[in-house]
Amino acid sequence: MTHIPVLTKEVLQYLDPKENENFIDCTVGQGGHTKLILEKNAPDGKVLGIDLDPDQINNCKSIIKDSRLILVNDSYANIKEIVDVTKLGEVNGVLLDLGMSSWQLEGTNKGFSFQKDEELDMRYNQAQTLTAKIIVNEYSKEEIEKILEEYGEEKFAKQIARKITEERQVKKIESTLQLVEIIKRAMPTKFQYGKIHCATRTFQALRIAVNDELNNLEKVLPIIISVLSSGGRAVIISFHSLEDRIVKNFLKNKEGVIKILTKKPIIAEDGEVKMNPRSRSAKLRAFIKI
Ligand code: SAH
């Protein structure tokens, strides 16, 4: 399953890569965006590609063979140290394309999808100990409710948390489809088969909690500004309102140090959404460091 990069035209427009400039792709994935940047910053510009998932780094290695690409398996929260260690030099642009890739959703058996029966894991990096299984089987009812409410904006958070804690006393919750059944039974009938799958918000919330996604985002935003050289550009693509709110508020507070290039977030055109449904929820914001 190849991941189709979102908003490629817009990413290139705002990052505006030029000959010999250096870039950081904080979430390199399968290198969809990185490949396009490398075409523009030849002959000597570099791209530092980072991903928390070691399998994505391997994917990218086999897809892009280019000595100007430096790949590092780490969290983007550590880009400052990584830039120093890799001696990248001046940083002219940074890209942050949040969330998970279609490849992780469909092809890794890590329990990200509610459509297939897999073990409830949801870690991008297996070196970490916290998994979705630990959250649903060991966290208190109140903690689970809070996660579903805050990270999923799930209006049946209370009912789902209650059902999870009841069911796990009968049988440990091990698999995605087992959890989907529990979520269904916790909801009023008319919401069980709605337009959006009833497990969507719970799965999103668990993934965010397992990988501490919102905290990582809050951590990296000031670091992006600090690693950029003056005149450097940054593009941030988010996929749900919680992420976009964090980005929007952060940028607003930094005006003066940065110049915001997108008054409103840029969204995908109809043609792109038809071709790649994942782009439907993408919101792009960009700025330039003064
Ligand atoms: N732009 C990429 C797709 C990125 S998908 C492409 O075109 O192929 C988002 C990626 O971010 C995933 O590969 C995921 O593993 C990675 N990721 C999630 N959290 C991360 C973190 N804290 N640090 C680095 N990478 C992270």
Side-chain angles (χ1 to χ4, degrees):
M1 171 88 203
T2 319
H3 173 89
I4 308 170
V6 301
L7 297 166
T8 49
K9 188 177 72 182
E10 295 81 357
V11 166
L12 287 180
Q13 179 193 333
Y14 285 102
L15 275 185
D16 190 23
K18 293 191 267 296
E19 254 182 37
N20 302 337
E21 287 187 333
N22 294 330
F23 292 84
I24 306 175
D25 185 343
C26 295
T27 47
V28 72
Q30 293 180 313
H33 294 107
T34 277
K35 196 165 190 294
L36 301 170
I37 298 170
L38 284 166
E39 284 166 12
K40 302 272 181 189
N41 71 345
D44 291 322
K46 292 182 211 140
V47 175
L48 171 59
I50 296 163
D51 205 290
L52 187 55
D53 183 343
D55 296 333
Q56 287 284 53
I57 294 292
N58 286 331
N59 283 336
C60 196
K61 259 186 204 153
S62 63
I63 296 169
I64 306 178
K65 313 262 182 220
D66 192 324
S67 59
R68 294 184 294 116
L69 172 61
I70 307 160
L71 289 169
V72 176
N73 173 217
D74 201 337
S75 171
Y76 56 62
N78 303 323
I79 49 173
K80 201 167 178 78
E81 293 77 12
I82 304 169
V83 167
D84 291 342
V85 171
T86 55
K87 300 195 169 59
L88 183 68
E90 206 182 340
V91 179
N92 304 103
V94 177
L95 171 65
L96 182 62
D97 177 20
L98 293 163
M100 82 182 134
S101 79
S102 321
W103 177 77
Q104 286 164 319
L105 181 67
E106 316 257 334
T108 56
N109 291 318
K110 286 185 188 156
F112 288 114
S113 166
F114 47 75
Q115 315 269 17
K116 295 187 294 173
D117 205 15
E118 293 173 355
E119 199 174 318
L120 266 177
D121 186 322
M122 299 199 190
R123 287 171 294 179
Y124 292 132
N125 189 312
Q126 309 301 302
Q128 178 189 303
T129 45
L130 182 64
T131 62
K133 204 196 277 185
I134 292 178
I135 295 181
V136 297
N137 287 290
E138 295 176 21
Y139 279 25
S140 71
K141 188 169 74 183
E142 292 71 28
E143 283 170 317
I144 295 174
E145 181 182 338
K146 189 161 179 261
I147 287 172
L148 301 189
E149 221 166 59
E150 275 184 19
Y151 298 157
E153 299 182 309
E154 169 59 68
K155 67 175 164 205
F156 299 108
K158 198 179 196 72
Q159 289 87 330
I160 297 170
R162 192 190 310 132
K163 197 82 181 159
I164 286 174
T165 49
E166 279 167 14
E167 295 289 327
R168 74 188 186 191
Q169 284 176 312
V170 182
K171 190 170 175 239
K172 189 168 178 194
I173 305 166
E174 310 253 13
S175 82
T176 48
L177 290 196
Q178 207 184 336
L179 179 61
V180 170
E181 267 315 301
I182 293 170
I183 296 167
K184 245 185 215 158
R185 277 187 273 129
M187 285 194 174
T189 327
K190 78 167 191 192
F191 290 95
Q192 287 177 12
Y193 299 96
K195 212 170 106 202
I196 294 174
H197 193 290
C198 64
T200 307
R201 289 171 177 278
T202 299
F203 272 62
Q204 171 187 304
L206 289 173
R207 196 198 81 214
I208 292 175
V210 166
N211 298 289
D212 206 14
E213 294 184 24
L214 300 185
N215 284 324
N216 279 325
L217 174 60
E218 284 186 347
K219 251 190 247 168
V220 77
L221 293 172
I223 305 177
I224 290 178
I225 297 184
S226 77
V227 298
L228 272 175
S229 53
S230 147
R233 299 162 298 277
V235 168
I236 300 157
I237 305 171
S238 60
F239 288 88
H240 50 77
S241 54
L242 299 163
E243 288 173 343
D244 186 56
R245 205 176 302 147
I246 292 173
V247 177
K248 179 178 149 187
N249 292 335
F250 175 81
L251 298 189
K252 222 197 255 157
N253 283 329
K254 290 289 172 187
E255 250 172 327
V257 180
I258 62 169
K259 181 173 183 284
I260 299 171
L261 301 173
T262 46
K263 218 169 155 185
K264 282 198 175 148
I266 310 294
I267 56 170
E269 288 166 0
D270 291 350
E272 176 170 359
V273 174
K274 274 203 194 97
M275 199 197 72
N276 180 14
R278 186 176 168 275
S279 67
R280 184 182 312 136
S281 42
K283 288 205 168 109
L284 179 154
R285 294 185 188 268
F287 67 84
I288 191 160
K289 180 170 169 182
I290 295 171

